[in-house]
Amino acid sequence: MSRQSEGLQNEGIAEAWAFTAEHRQRTTFFFDFDGVLSPVTDDPDASQPVPSVLGVLEKLATVVQRVAIVSARPVSFLRSRFSSLEGVDLYGLYGLEVWHEGEVVTEPAALPWVPAMAELAERAKTELPGDVLVEYKRLSVALHYRTAPQRAGEVERWGHEQAEAKGLRIQAGRMVVELKPPVDQDKGMVITEGVRDAGCAWYFGDDMSDIKAFDALRAREAVDPSFFGVAVAVANPETGAEVSSAADLTLDSPGAVAQFLAEGLERF
C-alpha cells in the first residue's frame, strides 16, 4: 500500500483501516502514554488517560492481535492508570521493564544502575533550582523544566555533565532531560521486536523518542513488502513539527486519538 509524500489523506486513512481490519489477527497497536493517551501535565504524577481512551483500548484489544503501551514511565505507573484493562502489554522505561501476562520483567543489564539513579536523583534535587521537577523512576531520572522554561539551558548543561561523568545516556523530550543507564534499549528496539511476526502495526507518538519507533516500522516495511505500518503523530507545541514530519498522519490531541480509534473500530 502506497503513501502520499505529504502523509495519509482521507482515502489513505480509509485504506489503512481496511487493511487493518482484514489483517486484524496479525495487527499490533502501540501507544506512547504522555501526550498521546494523556495530556502532558505540569506535574507528571497528575497525568491521567483521557476518559474515553480506556474503553476504546479495551475494545481494540478484543479485535486485534495485540495492544501495547510503550512509555518512558515505569511499569508501576502505567499499571496504576490501566489496571482495568486486560490483554494490554506495558513497556516501561523505554522497554527496560515489561508487563506481560501478569508479570513484570526488568532488563537484567539495567538493574546494577538502580543505586546510581537514586543517588543522581538526590543530587539533582540539591544542585538544581527548586522549580526544576526531579522525577525518579528507579532506572532513570527525568528533569522537568515545564514550569520554569528559563531553566532549559541550565538543566541541559547539568544533565550532560552528569551523563559524561557517570557514563549515562541522555534522552531529550518535551521540556525534559532524562538520564538513563548505558543499556541498549529504546522504543525503536521495542517495536522492531514487537512487529517481527506482525502483518500490520500502528504506532502513536508525540516526542523525539517516538521517531525511532516510526523508523522501526519503516525498516520492517523495507524488508517485508507485505507488512504495513502506520506512524501517527500527536500535535504539540514543543516537538510536534519534527515528529509530525516523520509520521504518516497527525492528530490534534489525546482526545482526538481516542475519537480516531473509535471511528476506526466501526470499520471492523
Side-chain angles (χ1 to χ4, degrees):
M1 187 180 300
S2 63
R3 297 183 180 85
Q4 299 182 35
S5 60
E6 65 272 23
L8 290 176
Q9 303 302 307
N10 289 336
E11 182 179 352
I13 293 170
E15 291 178 0
W17 276 116
F19 186 95
T20 301
E22 182 180 355
H23 298 85
R24 69 184 75 179
Q25 294 182 343
R26 295 186 62 224
T27 292
T28 296
F29 278 77
F30 297 97
F31 302 91
D32 184 18
F33 175 72
D34 291 286
V36 172
L37 301 179
S38 165
V40 171
T41 58
D42 290 346
D43 179 1
D45 287 338
S47 296
Q48 296 284 346
V50 294
S52 55
V53 84
L54 294 174
V56 172
L57 291 182
E58 186 171 26
K59 183 176 180 180
L60 184 65
T62 66
V63 297
V64 299
Q65 182 182 32
R66 188 181 184 212
V67 173
I69 298 170
V70 186
S71 174
R73 299 293 194 128
V75 162
S76 59
F77 174 91
L78 297 174
R79 287 186 62 197
S80 73
R81 274 28 180 200
F82 297 101
S83 59
S84 64
L85 298 185
E86 296 183 3
V88 176
D89 293 333
L90 306 175
Y91 290 85
L93 304 176
Y94 306 94
L96 292 178
E97 297 179 334
V98 183
W99 174 262
H100 177 65
E101 296 183 348
E103 182 180 1
V104 61
V105 179
T106 301
E107 169 58 50
L111 287 174
W113 291 89
V114 171
M117 293 295 103
E119 189 271 339
L120 182 68
E122 292 305 312
R123 286 193 58 201
K125 292 174 184 177
T126 300
E127 297 180 10
L128 289 171
D131 50 7
V132 175
L133 192 154
V134 178
E135 183 186 9
Y136 170 59
K137 305 181 187 180
R138 190 173 76 103
L139 289 173
S140 71
V141 176
L143 311 172
H144 299 268
Y145 52 89
R146 177 168 298 277
T147 60
Q150 73 278 9
R151 304 291 190 192
E154 184 176 0
V155 171
E156 290 170 3
R157 284 192 299 273
W158 191 89
H160 281 278
E161 288 171 359
Q162 299 306 310
E164 183 175 355
K166 300 182 180 299
L168 303 173
R169 293 183 180 174
I170 289 276
Q171 175 65 59
R174 294 178 58 181
M175 312 291 280
V176 62
V177 172
E178 188 159 7
L179 294 133
K180 307 187 297 181
V183 177
D184 286 331
Q185 185 62 58
D186 57 37
K187 291 181 178 181
M189 295 173 69
V190 170
I191 303 311
T192 296
E193 181 62 29
V195 302
R196 195 174 301 279
D197 298 318
C200 176
W202 296 63
Y203 186 95
F204 293 70
D206 74 310
D207 212 341
M208 303 304 295
S209 61
D210 297 309
I211 294 177
K212 290 184 177 180
F214 294 169
D215 290 343
L217 295 182
R218 307 281 189 254
R220 176 61 196 277
E221 287 181 318
V223 300
D224 182 359
S226 67
F227 174 83
F228 185 58
V230 185
V232 183
V234 181
N236 69 81
E238 290 113 21
T239 58
E242 192 163 355
V243 178
S244 291
S245 67
D248 302 307
L249 167 70
T250 298
L251 300 175
D252 290 338
S253 66
V257 170
Q259 181 178 353
F260 178 78
L261 293 171
E263 292 172 353
L265 281 167
E266 294 176 359
R267 304 173 186 267
F268 283 65

